[in-house]
Amino acid sequence: NGCPFAITTSEDLLPIAAALVLNMGGRDFVVAESDRAFYHAALSHSANHVNTIIYQSKSALTEIGIQDPGLFLSPLVQTAVENSLSKGIDALTGPISRGDVETVRAHVMAIENHEISASYKALAKATVERLIGSNRISDSVAQEILDILK
């Protein structure tokens, strides 16, 4: 109920598709055929990759003896997702948003030979790039962090 449905169809079938969605209690949104793969990639990127990140984090915590990593991750991840959905990039916390170069350096060194390293670095780079020009971190701090992430 209230779930959004993307509709891609011909103009003549659009009213029928929209009626079906509304009858199921959903919300209809039209997505052009030319945007369909981009739309799906955006949804898959968040849902699938969050799953991978959480798996990697649980695995890493288990390796250091945390018996129930979900206990630690659940409140943090749920709050981060809710804040991100409502506040966008302004909800971002952590060492990159603070410009804490030394903590980022310590993270990279700690995970150097772990499966988490590649995804951590890729997403950290994306985070830095998103923050450049936002006045959250300076260009020089951003460059220091990017150099660490190479």
Side-chain angles (χ1 to χ4, degrees):
N1 207 11
C3 183
F5 286 76
I7 299 172
T8 303
T9 190
S10 62
E11 284 294 321
D12 57 324
L13 295 178
L14 190 56
I16 297 167
L20 286 170
V21 168
L22 294 173
N23 283 336
M24 291 187 293
R27 298 173 56 198
D28 62 309
F29 295 90
V30 176
V31 175
E33 182 63 41
S34 60
D35 293 331
R36 193 81 181 165
F38 191 76
Y39 156 83
H40 191 252
L43 295 178
S44 294
H45 181 53
S46 63
N48 299 156
H49 298 161
V50 163
N51 187 291
T52 300
I53 292 166
I54 290 171
Y55 169 81
Q56 288 178 339
S57 295
K58 285 175 68 176
S59 175
L61 291 172
T62 299
E63 286 179 30
I64 63 167
I66 303 293
Q67 295 289 324
D68 184 2
L71 183 68
F72 290 82
L73 292 170
S74 182
L76 180 66
V77 171
Q78 288 182 24
T79 300
V81 168
E82 288 302 318
N83 286 342
S84 181
L85 289 170
S86 65
K87 298 176 186 172
I89 198 72
D90 291 336
L92 186 64
T93 63
I96 294 173
S97 68
R98 293 190 307 269
D100 186 347
V101 174
E102 293 312 312
T103 296
V104 174
R105 186 183 324 278
H107 288 178
V108 170
M109 289 172 54
I111 63 174
E112 187 173 2
N113 296 311
H114 194 276
E115 78 168 309
I116 202 171
S117 181
S119 56
Y120 179 97
K121 287 179 180 180
L123 290 169
K125 286 176 188 176
T127 301
V128 170
E129 290 167 7
R130 180 65 185 101
L131 291 175
I132 290 174
S134 71
N135 297 322
R136 300 268 309 265
I137 60 174
S138 68
D139 289 344
S140 62
V141 168
Q143 191 55 57
E144 278 186 79
I145 294 172
L146 289 172
D147 289 344
I148 292 167
L149 297 170
K150 289 181 179 175

